[in-house]
Every structure is written in C-alpha cells, then in structure tokens.
Amino acid sequence: MAKTNADIEHWDVESEEFWEREGKRVASRNLWISIPSLLMGFAIWLMWGMITTQMKNLGFPFTVDQLFTLSAIAGLSGATLRIPASFMIKIAGGRNTVFLTTALLMIPALGTGIALMNPETPFIVFQALALLSGIGGGNFACSMSNISAFYPKSKQGYGLGMNAGLGNFGVTTMQILIPLVMTVGIFGAVAGGPMELQSPSGTLIGRIDAGTETWIQNAGFIWLVFLIPLAFAGWFGMNNLKVVTPNPGNPMSAFGKILGLYGVGLVTSVIGVWALGILNMWIALPLTIILTVVLLRLIPGDIQPNIKKQFAIFSNKHTWSMTVLYILTFGSFIGFSAALPLSISVIFGNMMEVGADGTMTRVVNPDAPSALTWAWMGPFVGALIRPVGGWISDKMGGSIVTQIISVIMVVASVATGYVMMLAYNSTDPNSYFALFLILFIIMFAASGIGNGSTFRSIGFIFDQQQKGPVLGWTSAVAAYGAFIAPRVMGQEIQAGTPEVAMYGFAVFYSVCLVVNWWFYLRKNAYIKNP
C-alpha cells in the first residue's frame, strides 16, 4: 500500500469514475491539512493590526503613523511574497511547499514574542519582524495554486472557497485570540513578565481598564502551539502531484527552490519599503511588482525554464481583468482587515470638544469602544460567507455574482466614508459607532461573497496549466490591499478627512463594475460567465 504522503503519478479528476474512486478522498485530506496551515498564515500576516493597537495602549514609544507603518510593511511583504509563491507548486511540489512555508511561520511568531517582551526594542526590529510575517501572506498563493489542482472544474468553487474562506478565518481567529491570550501569563516565566496598560483596552468579552497587567508578548508566542503540529501534518499527510510538478526533486532540493523564491520576494519587499520613503506609493508599488517579476525571470538553473513557461499567463487579457476584479474582492477584505482595528482606535478614541470661545479641539473619548472588542466581526462575516459565495457562483455563474456585490461595495463605501466624517468631527462619536460597524460588516460580507465568485470565475476561464499561476498572481496583486488600505486610511485619518479614503475606494469599485460587465456579462462578452 502506498504511503499517505507519497508523490502521486496518475491524477485525472475530470474523470468522474477516478474522482469517486480515489480523487475525492485524496483531495479532501490535502484540503483539510491545507486549511489550518493557511489559517495560521493569515493570522501571523495580519497580527500587526491588533498588536499595534495594544502597543499604543501600553505606551510603546512610537507614533500612530509608525504603528500604521508596521501593519503596512507586513501587508507589502505578504503581497510581494505572493508573486514568487505563485510559481512554487509547479517547481517544488505541493507537499514540500506547504510543509516548509508553514514551518517558516515559526520565525516571525517567535521573534515577535521576544521583541514585545521589551518596550525599548528598537523600531527597526519590529519593522524586520513585520516584513518576515509577510511569509504568512505569501503562503496564500501557493496554497490556492496547490488546492486548485486537486479539484475538478465543477468543484472549483467549493474547493477554493473552502480553502480560502476557512483559511481567512485566520484573521478572525487572530483578532479574537490575541486580545484573550494577552490577559493571562499562559507561558509562565519563560515568556517574561507583564506590563501595565496606560490606556483602556478590551477583549471579545469586554473592556479592560488602564492599569491592568497585560502579556503582549503572548501575541507572538501563541502561534507556536499550532504551527509545530501543523508542520508535521503537512509533511506526513499531503502529496505532490506529478501531473502538476513533474520534477520536484528531492525534498532538500525543493526546499532550496522555495527559499530562493521567497528570498527574491523579501529582497524586493525591502527595496519596496525603502522606495516608499522617497517615492509616491502609486509609483513605488508597481516598481516593486515589476522588480520582483524581473528578478524571478533571472533566477538561474532549472527554475528558469519553468517560470518562463508560467509567464505565459501575462499575455492573456483575462489575467489582467481578473486581477482587477480580485483587487475589488480580496484586496478590500484584506485591506479593511488590516486597517480597521487602528481606525476604530483613532476615529472613536478621540472626540471634539467645544471651548468657551467656540473653538473645537480633539480630546480623549473616555468611553471609546475598544477595537480589540469589535474589530473581529467584519473579517469573521467575510470569511464565513466566502464558501457560500463559491457555492452560489457554481450555481449562478461567477460574474453575475461579482456584478451584484460590486454595486453593494460602491454604495456601502460612500456611506461608510460619510459616517466616518461625521464621527471624526463629532462631540459624541459613540453615537455613530453602531452604524459605522454595520456598514463595514456589509462591505466585508460583499467582499467575502465576491472572493468566492472570482475564484469560481478563474477556475472556469483558465485551463489546468494556467489557473494555478493565475490564482497566485491575482491574489498577489490584490494582497497589496493589506498595504494600501492602512496607508491610505492612516494618512487621511491623520489629515482629519477619513471619508476621502472611502470615496476613493468607491470610485475604484465603480471601475470594477464596468470591467466585469465588459469582459463577462455584455451581449458580446469575451467569455460568458453569468
């Protein structure tokens, strides 16, 4: 009998007989190991939104702009690393890739825990750890590319929706778990002592007053509890598909290829962070993407012809239309997930006070809602509904579902911007908080459904050879939302005009409406996909 983790030579899931006889069982096993591994990737990639909120509450010696920057660096790195990760499966094999990329997450998890033990840790150390946590973001591209090969076209919406949707629960898991584990010294003396909150904080359960002891370092250490068994599960329970990866090489050779690809992404991420210091964001980001693609093309050895073959996706116009539409859905989900905690903290943490002479000044809001109590709700709804989006799209067609949610995103983002403006300039911002949160939840729900519909469309539009790299590439570009949203929202909130960011997003969503209709829904569309 073959080993559970053996390389698989014959794989023909479009044959119903093969699928029922053995394909479904193997696909399910790989999917259910992939999902928690991807969940950990999301948690570690986006943990900076919650960690920086608590760093602010503990009085770490950094500005609000610096704290937003840490979330943005993790976002930039995670997005950039998705570009090389798009090509890993075809070069190194699914089992090899998922095992190593999951194991690599232990580095930022452990490092962040150690750095948070001391408020005097230099800012550059936190920048480096935020950069490395981007590995978790990169893992999405190789994970989706891998799972897409295990499922037939008729079940792409289900397979990819489950992997991505439940994997996205890493955001919610992190936003619930981090505040809770910070309240208890669960790792004892090994993890160091607590610090005292200088500002009120909170958990899912409720508010925590200033002066309470907090173990912020647990926000990093907690992930090791899950990562160690998951790495073993990936190694002993997953498979390389020879039809997708004809020559993965021995494991050490495959690991070398994976590390080389991620090495390129980390170098260009550092260059991207540096470029952002001297260039406009809208110039620096495309340059980072182009540089990453060029350097991948120049990698020597047997990786080069494989990457060259996969670069054929860039001559297909549907690669570019689906990239735009995936920014609409996943870019919004991941961007708002990264930006929402600190946005709540800054917009509702202060309020306007009218002086005796009628002048308005911003002062601390003593009854502000805690971001750590509320921020998990939006990503939770977005992730929960994502498999539903895939299932509906398998029935109705991906593009018609994408069109409907695009309209919702346009209206909701304009409304959210208006409410943010009212709250920011109010003497009682708390009165706007419920409406603010509901509108954000609507946008998360729409983007979650849209994630499922765009995945289904990619599985429908592209063939077996192209759909994996296209999934990886589109998810890479869309993941820059995790950088753009915190950066744009942070800048506009600092400028006192939070609504401008949301109105800008609404304009982009309107463009997506037109792109989706033109390519897939009009009378003479290139591919009819309703």
Side-chain angles (χ1 to χ4, degrees), residues 91-105:
I91 291 169
R95 170 198 177 213
N96 299 332
T97 301
V98 174
F99 162 73
L100 184 60
T101 54
T102 302
L104 285 173
L105 294 172

Side-chain angles (χ1 to χ4, degrees), residues 409-423:
M409 296 284 283
V410 171
V411 175
S413 55
V414 171
T416 306
Y418 184 67
V419 171
M420 287 168 80
M421 177 188 68
L422 294 176

Side-chain angles (χ1 to χ4, degrees), residues 242-371:
K242 285 296 191 75
V243 292
V244 176
T245 319
N247 182 29
N250 63 55
M252 295 314 294
S253 161
F255 295 162
K257 294 173 190 175
I258 294 163
L259 292 172
L261 288 168
Y262 261 169
V264 168
L266 285 171
V267 167
T268 55
S269 295
V270 171
I271 294 170
V273 171
W274 170 79
L276 284 161
I278 56 173
L279 295 171
N280 179 285
M281 174 176 72
W282 303 109
I283 298 172
L285 289 187
L287 284 177
T288 305
I289 296 171
I290 291 165
L291 181 63
T292 307
V293 170
V294 168
L295 289 182
L296 286 173
R297 186 70 180 76
L298 296 176
I299 291 177
D302 64 348
I303 291 181
Q304 190 181 71
N306 210 314
I307 285 188
K308 184 179 179 182
K309 192 161 56 177
Q310 293 181 67
F311 269 29
I313 64 171
F314 296 129
S315 61
N316 187 334
K317 59 180 171 285
H318 295 290
T319 299
W320 302 104
S321 60
M322 291 311 302
T323 298
V324 170
L325 296 176
Y326 200 52
I327 294 170
L328 156 79
T329 58
F330 182 76
S332 299
F333 172 87
I334 213 68
F336 293 146
S337 296
L340 187 57
L342 213 46
S343 297
I344 292 173
S345 182
V346 176
I347 291 175
F348 294 92
N350 297 287
M351 62 185 189
M352 289 296 184
E353 186 176 72
V354 184
D357 58 354
T359 56
M360 304 277 280
T361 53
R362 280 185 76 71
V363 298
V364 172
N365 176 6
D367 300 313
S370 170

Side-chain angles (χ1 to χ4, degrees), residues 446-471:
S447 67
I449 291 171
N451 274 316
S453 67
T454 46
F455 276 146
R456 197 272 179 184
S457 294
I458 289 171
F460 180 84
I461 292 164
F462 296 93
D463 63 23
Q464 175 80 344
Q465 290 304 309
Q466 288 202 331
K467 69 183 178 186
V470 169
L471 278 166

Side-chain angles (χ1 to χ4, degrees), residues 71-406:
S71 288
I73 288 173
L76 173 76
S77 170
T80 305
L81 289 176
R82 285 187 177 194
I83 300 173
S86 305
F87 307 110
M88 284 178 183
I89 301 301
K90 288 190 179 293
I91 291 169
R95 170 198 177 213
N96 299 332
T97 301
V98 174
F99 162 73
L100 184 60
T101 54
T102 302
L104 285 173
L105 294 172
M106 297 179 200
I107 299 170
L110 180 63
T112 299
I114 293 169
L116 288 170
M117 289 166 69
N118 181 8
E120 302 303 315
T121 300
F123 187 63
I124 192 169
V125 174
F126 288 111
Q127 288 177 302
L129 289 163
L131 190 84
L132 287 172
S133 69
I135 291 169
N139 289 2
F140 180 84
C142 50
S143 178
M144 295 301 287
S145 180
N146 184 45
I147 290 302
S148 72
F150 280 93
Y151 282 86
K153 279 198 172 190
S154 62
K155 293 180 173 57
Q156 288 288 306
Y158 166 79
L160 295 173
M162 291 296 285
N163 193 49
L166 297 181
N168 273 0
F169 268 113
V171 181
T172 304
T173 303
M174 173 273 298
Q175 290 182 334
I176 293 173
L177 193 58
I178 283 181
L180 289 173
V181 299
M182 289 192 294
T183 62
V184 189
I186 50 177
F187 298 110
V190 177
M195 300 173 210
E196 279 194 7
L197 285 170
Q198 294 184 12
S199 304
S201 180
T203 68
L204 178 65
I205 299 163
R207 183 181 173 90
I208 299 174
D209 293 325
T212 306
E213 289 188 335
T214 294
W215 287 261
I216 189 174
Q217 59 270 36
N218 290 353
F221 293 140
I222 188 62
W223 307 115
L224 297 172
V225 174
F226 308 103
L227 287 169
I228 293 167
L230 273 174
F232 279 100
W235 184 250
F236 291 106
M238 296 190 79
N239 304 97
N240 300 320
L241 293 178
K242 285 296 191 75
V243 292
V244 176
T245 319
N247 182 29
N250 63 55
M252 295 314 294
S253 161
F255 295 162
K257 294 173 190 175
I258 294 163
L259 292 172
L261 288 168
Y262 261 169
V264 168
L266 285 171
V267 167
T268 55
S269 295
V270 171
I271 294 170
V273 171
W274 170 79
L276 284 161
I278 56 173
L279 295 171
N280 179 285
M281 174 176 72
W282 303 109
I283 298 172
L285 289 187
L287 284 177
T288 305
I289 296 171
I290 291 165
L291 181 63
T292 307
V293 170
V294 168
L295 289 182
L296 286 173
R297 186 70 180 76
L298 296 176
I299 291 177
D302 64 348
I303 291 181
Q304 190 181 71
N306 210 314
I307 285 188
K308 184 179 179 182
K309 192 161 56 177
Q310 293 181 67
F311 269 29
I313 64 171
F314 296 129
S315 61
N316 187 334
K317 59 180 171 285
H318 295 290
T319 299
W320 302 104
S321 60
M322 291 311 302
T323 298
V324 170
L325 296 176
Y326 200 52
I327 294 170
L328 156 79
T329 58
F330 182 76
S332 299
F333 172 87
I334 213 68
F336 293 146
S337 296
L340 187 57
L342 213 46
S343 297
I344 292 173
S345 182
V346 176
I347 291 175
F348 294 92
N350 297 287
M351 62 185 189
M352 289 296 184
E353 186 176 72
V354 184
D357 58 354
T359 56
M360 304 277 280
T361 53
R362 280 185 76 71
V363 298
V364 172
N365 176 6
D367 300 313
S370 170
L372 278 68
T373 302
W374 299 101
W376 64 273
M377 290 184 178
F380 174 80
V381 171
L384 184 69
I385 208 165
R386 191 170 186 166
V388 177
W391 178 77
I392 294 171
S393 300
D394 279 340
K395 304 287 184 195
M396 291 176 60
S399 296
I400 194 74
V401 177
T402 302
Q403 195 76 351
I404 293 166
I405 67 99
S406 298

